Amino acid sequence: MKVSVTTLTKGAYLIIEHTEALHVIDVNSGNRSNKANNQEDTAMEVNMIAAAEIARQLRLRDMGGIIVIDFIDMNSAENRKAVYEKMESEMKRDRARHKILPISRFGLMELTRQRVRPETNITTREENPDNLVEAPIQVIDAMASKLAQIEMREVYIHVHPFIESYLTKGFFSSIKKTWQKKFRKKIVVVPRDAFTMLEWKVMDKDNNAL
């Protein structure tokens, strides 16, 4: 599975997961949740921005086959319809053949798209002043190796909110749940806004580094 992160405006972002069977795009509000009048307004605002960016990413990457978009849940059927119409409008400029289904009450939209050219894989990396740091998937592997060495029954992993979302909010199942079963310990993932995207620490409940 390949995963990349695309940032939107003012803290919102997309997590794009590529599997053999389909592509899954998860829409996240980031730090916008307390900036709108209520949760429904925030969801609507972010989903409308995400619809435009997702349509652009589909063309940019020429993603084909089955694509599932996990929009932020909206209670209003009117709002779900508005986001669906926004997606249809944005996809009109796509020359690839495609079909879009309305958003379900659980916030899921399904669409199919025929590729125009071989799919483009875009690797997301974060730059530091000296060089390109390791890709996020390598950080995940490093975390797993660290957890395997720790004998404590409860650990806390402090990470950037992007990585927290990837660890806990996967479309099919979260990596955190998989790790808890594999390593037989309680794992708490703590989002830290002050961390860089690939920065992480494993600690005990008293914030002592392990």
Side-chain angles (χ1 to χ4, degrees):
M1 179 178 66
K2 298 178 181 179
V3 178
S4 59
V5 176
T6 298
T7 57
L8 304 175
T9 58
K10 300 181 181 179
Y13 58 96
L14 307 174
I15 295 179
I16 305 175
E17 302 181 24
H18 309 272
T19 71
E20 292 184 4
L22 75 166
H23 306 281
V24 179
I25 302 176
D26 186 20
V27 180
N28 291 270
S29 61
N31 60 8
R32 295 173 67 92
S33 57
N34 58 357
K35 294 184 178 181
N37 293 331
N38 55 52
Q39 189 174 7
E40 184 77 9
D41 290 346
T42 300
M44 178 63 173
E45 181 183 12
V46 173
N47 285 341
M48 293 291 278
I49 295 170
E53 179 59 24
I54 289 169
R56 191 181 79 86
Q57 289 292 326
L58 295 182
R59 296 192 300 271
L60 176 66
R61 301 165 185 256
D62 198 21
M63 293 164 56
I66 301 172
I67 300 154
V68 178
I69 305 169
D70 186 5
F71 284 105
I72 301 172
D73 291 348
M74 296 176 291
N75 295 322
S76 168
E78 183 178 346
N79 286 345
R80 292 196 296 270
K81 180 181 179 183
V83 174
Y84 169 66
E85 291 175 346
K86 173 69 172 177
M87 192 71 188
E88 279 196 317
S89 175
E90 293 291 335
M91 290 293 290
K92 284 181 179 179
R93 68 186 70 179
D94 194 331
R95 60 193 178 99
R97 296 177 62 182
H98 59 270
K99 180 176 179 60
I100 308 172
L101 297 180
I103 300 176
S104 73
R105 60 191 296 262
F106 300 108
L108 298 178
M109 172 185 285
E110 298 176 61
L111 65 93
T112 59
R113 181 181 184 277
Q114 187 177 47
R115 289 180 187 169
V116 176
R117 61 186 185 277
E119 182 178 359
T120 301
N121 290 322
I122 298 176
T123 303
T124 301
R125 295 190 178 186
E126 179 175 317
E127 287 201 36
N128 65 23
D130 300 316
N131 57 3
L132 286 173
V133 296
E134 60 191 332
I137 193 65
Q138 293 177 299
V139 173
I140 302 302
D141 291 341
M143 289 180 192
S145 297
K146 180 71 173 180
L147 291 173
Q149 300 170 10
I150 297 173
E151 297 182 357
M152 294 182 64
R153 308 307 297 174
E154 181 177 6
V155 297
Y156 293 73
I157 304 177
H158 296 247
V159 296
H160 186 278
F162 286 176
I163 304 300
E164 185 268 342
S165 180
Y166 175 53
L167 292 175
T168 62
K169 301 174 183 177
F171 183 77
F172 297 105
S173 63
S174 71
I175 293 176
K176 186 188 82 167
K177 290 180 181 178
T178 301
W179 281 351
Q180 288 184 146
K181 292 180 181 179
K182 180 177 181 179
F183 301 121
R184 297 182 179 179
K185 62 185 63 180
K186 179 181 178 181
I187 298 172
V188 179
V189 182
V190 182
R192 299 285 297 273
D193 290 333
F195 278 25
T196 62
M197 192 173 78
L198 302 181
E199 182 180 0
W200 59 281
K201 293 180 181 179
V202 178
M203 301 182 173
D204 63 16
K205 64 181 180 180
D206 297 318
N207 289 332
N208 297 309
L210 299 176

